[in-house]
Amino acid sequence: MDDKEIVALFSGYGYQCCIVSDLGNLDHQLAAALQWALAEIRTIQNAARSGKPIVKPRWPMIVLRTPKGYSGPKFLDGKPIEGNYRAHQVPLASPTSVPEQFKLLKEWLESYKSWEIFDLNSQLLELIDQYLIPPDPCKRMDELTSNKLDAALEFQGRNFQWDPDSRARGGRVIEILSEHTCQAHLQGYTLTGRTGIFPSYESFLGIIHTMMVQYSKFSKMSRELSWRKDISSINYIETSTWTRQEHNGFSHQNPSFIGAVLNLKAKFARVYLPPDANCMLSTLSHCLGSKNYVNLIVGSKQETPVWLSPEQAAEHCRRGASIWPFASTENGSNPDVVVVGIGVEITFEVITAASMLRALCPALRLRVVNVTDLMVLGESGSHPHALSDDEFTKLFTEEKPVLFNYHGYSTELRGLLFGRPRLDRVVVQGYQEEGTTTTPLAVSGPYFVLLFSRTNRSMRMYSRDGFLDAGTEQGVPIRRGQVCDSSGA
C-alpha cells in the first residue's frame, strides 16, 4: 500500500495519520511525530475535561515505514537481509557456532547503545513506573450486560469513546464486539501491572485461542528471566454457556476453550467450574490474587441454586473436589455408585437425579461428588493441583462404578483421567454436538446424563449379575439381591 492508501484506510477507521518514512532523518522525524501526537491527545483530553468533549475525536496515529529488518545486518554470506524475506524470524541462525554471525549479532545489538539508556543513573524505569502504571490498585477491567455481569456498573462506569454519556468518565469497563481486541487490551492491561477480567460468551472465546496460547508461551519464557517480576494472572470468565442458549441455540454452543487451556503447560493452566454463586466468589477472589496463570472460570449467567455457605464454598474450592453429604445416601459412606457433577447446570442435574434415585431405589447407596477445580482429576503428579492416588481413591473409591457428568467434551475428561487406576469402571458423559433454538429442558435433553430424563425406564437390580438398567448400553454394577421400585417412574 502506498501512503495515500494507508491514509485512506486508517482515516476510514477514524484516525488521523502521520507517516514517518525518511530513513536519513528518521529519529528527528519520529520525534516530531510524537510531539504532534501528544499535542493532539492533549487537545482531545482538554476538551473532554472542560465538559465540551469533541464528538468522534480523531485520535493520532503514527505509521512508521521502514525496510523489513531495518537496523539489523545488511548482508550475510553475500546475500541481502535488510528489506528481504531473509530478515523474517531469525536472520542469524547460528551465532554460537559461526564466528561471522556472532560478530554481526554483536554489532547489531551494540548499535542500540542500550548502556546509555539503562545505566545506574537512568531515570527511565522510574518514569515508566510514574506515568504508565496508575497508582490506584483498585481499577479493574470488566465487560458485561449480555453476560449478566452489569452489577459491576454500580461501582465502575463504561468507557465508550463514541458515547457522550460515558466518554472520558474514567470508567474501567471496556466493551467491544471484537474478542481479539479485548484480548489485546487485557494483555496490555496485565503487563503494565494491573489486573483484568475478560468475560465472554463461551462459544466465542475460541476466537482468541491462538492469542491465549501465545501469551502463555510468552509468560513461560518471561518467568525464566531473573529481572522479570510476577504479574497478575490473565482471567477469563465464560458466563453464557451452551446449557442456557435457548434463544441462540446450536450456533452458540461450543465449550472447546476448556480444552485449549487444558493443553497449556501444567504450570500455567487453571480451569475452574464453580457449581454455585458462593463457589464463584471464592474462585474469582483466588484468581484475582494469583500470579502468572491463565485462569478459566466456567459459570452461568442465569440464576441457579446456591448449594454451599460461603465457608463451605471456600473449603470446597480449596480442596478442588469433595463429597456432598446432603445429596448423598448417608453422607456418601460405603457407596454402590459414585455420581460426579462438573459444571453449574450439570451439578443441578446430578443433584436432581440423585434425589429421584433415592426415592425410586432406596436400597441404592449413592455418593455425590462435585469437582470445581478440573485439574485435580489429572494423573497424580501431572499438575500441581492433581490429587494423589490415595486422595483420588478416597473420593471415588477403589472399585465402585463412577459416573462423571461433565460440562465440556467427554474426550477432554477422558484424557485428563488417563493414567488413573481402574478406568474400566468409569463412564464419562459430556457435551454432545446437538442443539437448536429451544427451551432450557430441550437443550439439556440430548445431553443429560444419569436418570433425570430417563426415569421412565426400568430400574432393577438383579441378584446374580447385579446391575442397574439405566437405559444405556452398559449397566452399573451394584450389590446383589436388591430391587428398585420403578413403579413411580
Side-chain angles (χ1 to χ4, degrees):
M1 299 174 71
D2 60 30
D3 288 355
K4 289 183 179 180
E5 291 170 329
I6 289 285
V7 170
L9 174 65
F10 289 106
S11 295
Y13 288 160
Y15 294 97
Q16 51 177 327
C17 298
C18 177
I19 296 179
V20 175
S21 57
D22 184 357
L23 300 183
N25 197 33
L26 198 61
D27 289 345
H28 293 292
Q29 190 182 17
L30 182 58
L34 288 169
Q35 287 184 333
W36 163 80
L38 289 173
E40 292 297 317
I41 291 171
R42 290 193 184 101
T43 298
I44 296 170
Q45 289 176 334
N46 290 338
R49 291 165 184 169
S50 69
K52 299 179 180 179
I54 301 171
V55 177
K56 292 183 67 176
R58 284 192 171 271
W59 293 90
M61 176 179 179
I62 299 174
V63 178
L64 178 64
R65 304 197 71 156
T66 61
K68 189 178 184 70
Y70 184 63
S71 80
K74 309 297 182 186
F75 294 88
L76 177 65
D77 298 331
K79 298 177 181 178
I81 296 180
E82 182 181 278
N84 189 275
Y85 71 90
R86 297 185 183 89
H88 188 58
Q89 296 183 342
V90 184
L92 302 173
S94 306
T96 59
S97 57
V98 180
E100 180 188 0
Q101 291 192 23
F102 178 80
K103 178 175 179 294
L104 289 172
L105 178 61
K106 184 173 183 292
E107 293 173 351
W108 179 12
L109 296 179
E110 288 179 345
S111 70
Y112 296 114
K113 300 181 180 179
S114 57
W115 57 87
E116 296 180 0
I117 302 174
F118 296 104
D119 64 11
L120 294 178
N121 299 320
S122 173
Q123 295 183 340
L124 178 61
L125 297 180
E126 295 180 8
L127 292 173
I128 290 174
D129 288 341
Q130 181 178 354
Y131 292 108
L132 295 186
I133 302 178
D136 183 0
C138 297
K139 292 185 176 180
R140 299 291 184 262
M141 176 189 286
D142 299 287
E143 191 278 330
L144 298 193
T145 300
S146 67
N147 285 303
K148 296 192 176 179
L149 292 172
D150 46 312
L153 296 173
E154 298 173 11
F155 304 93
Q156 279 288 348
R158 289 184 174 91
N159 192 356
F160 290 142
Q161 294 302 304
W162 50 265
D163 181 8
D165 292 332
S166 62
R167 185 188 303 125
R169 302 283 183 175
R172 309 312 303 165
V173 175
I174 310 297
E175 291 184 317
I176 179 174
L177 273 176
S178 172
E179 285 76 12
H180 60 278
T181 302
C182 289
Q183 173 73 15
H185 276 307
L186 182 61
Q187 289 181 195
Y189 199 78
T190 302
L191 290 172
T192 50
R194 296 168 285 185
T195 304
I197 306 170
F198 184 174
S200 175
Y201 274 36
E202 178 179 65
S203 58
F204 299 139
L205 271 180
I207 293 171
I208 52 92
H209 178 162
T210 298
M211 295 178 72
M212 178 274 294
V213 171
Q214 290 301 316
Y215 180 83
S216 174
K217 292 176 184 291
F218 164 80
S219 297
K220 186 263 183 187
M221 298 306 298
S222 70
R223 299 302 305 145
E224 298 176 6
L225 302 174
S226 59
W227 50 272
R228 281 274 187 183
K229 296 183 179 180
D230 289 336
I231 57 173
S232 293
S233 299
I234 198 163
N235 303 297
Y236 302 97
I237 300 181
E238 294 181 355
T239 65
S240 186
T241 59
W242 69 263
T243 55
R244 293 303 303 270
Q245 288 297 334
E246 52 268 17
H247 69 284
N248 283 317
F250 194 29
S251 65
H252 285 54
Q253 295 176 312
N254 180 1
S256 63
F257 195 69
I258 296 174
V261 179
L262 287 177
N263 287 330
L264 300 178
K265 290 188 72 69
K267 184 177 180 180
F268 300 99
R270 303 290 187 271
V271 179
Y272 303 99
L273 295 98
D276 68 6
N278 284 330
C279 290
M280 170 64 82
L281 290 174
S282 178
T283 301
L284 186 57
S285 175
H286 167 74
C287 290
L288 291 177
S290 67
K291 301 294 183 182
N292 308 311
Y293 301 143
V294 174
N295 292 320
L296 173 61
I297 306 173
V298 182
S300 175
K301 70 178 184 180
Q302 309 292 348
E303 293 185 4
T304 57
V306 176
W307 308 109
L308 304 180
S309 70
E311 295 75 21
Q312 291 171 330
E315 178 63 17
H316 178 54
C317 292
R318 186 188 68 80
R319 293 174 179 271
S322 61
I323 300 169
W324 280 13
F326 69 90
S328 305
T329 304
E330 295 184 5
N331 296 323
S333 62
N334 190 26
D336 296 314
V337 179
V338 180
V339 183
V340 187
I342 311 175
V344 177
E345 284 82 9
I346 311 303
T347 297
F348 175 85
E349 294 292 332
V350 164
I351 291 175
T352 302
S355 176
M356 297 176 72
L357 281 169
R358 288 198 305 273
L360 293 167
C361 189
L364 181 65
R365 300 176 65 88
L366 287 172
R367 173 183 290 178
V368 173
V369 173
N370 180 263
V371 176
T372 185
D373 180 352
L374 196 58
M375 298 309 193
V376 304
L377 297 177
E379 183 180 10
S380 180
S382 64
H383 188 276
H385 294 185
L387 297 172
S388 68
D389 287 338
D390 287 343
E391 292 170 328
F392 190 87
T393 298
K394 287 178 182 179
L395 277 180
F396 303 111
T397 75
E398 288 186 357
E399 58 182 13
K400 300 298 183 181
V402 184
L403 301 177
F404 279 96
N405 307 282
Y406 173 51
H407 175 89
Y409 289 97
S410 59
T411 52
E412 295 169 352
L413 192 57
R414 291 191 184 102
L416 204 58
L417 291 168
F418 186 80
R420 291 292 187 180
R422 287 296 314 275
L423 291 183
D424 58 304
R425 65 194 174 104
V426 170
V427 176
V428 176
Q429 180 74 43
Y431 168 73
Q432 300 173 11
E433 288 288 348
E434 293 290 342
T436 184
T437 302
T438 182
T439 65
L441 182 60
V443 166
S444 306
Y447 168 81
F448 289 124
V449 168
L450 292 177
L451 304 172
F452 178 64
S453 61
R454 302 189 179 99
T455 51
N456 61 338
R457 293 180 181 270
S458 174
M459 297 184 296
R460 185 171 300 275
M461 300 179 181
Y462 292 87
S463 58
R464 179 177 178 181
D465 297 323
F467 71 94
L468 174 65
D469 179 6
T472 57
E473 291 182 0
Q474 66 184 97
V476 179
I478 61 171
R479 294 179 299 165
R480 294 181 180 177
Q482 306 295 332
V483 177
C484 292
D485 178 11
S486 61
S487 60

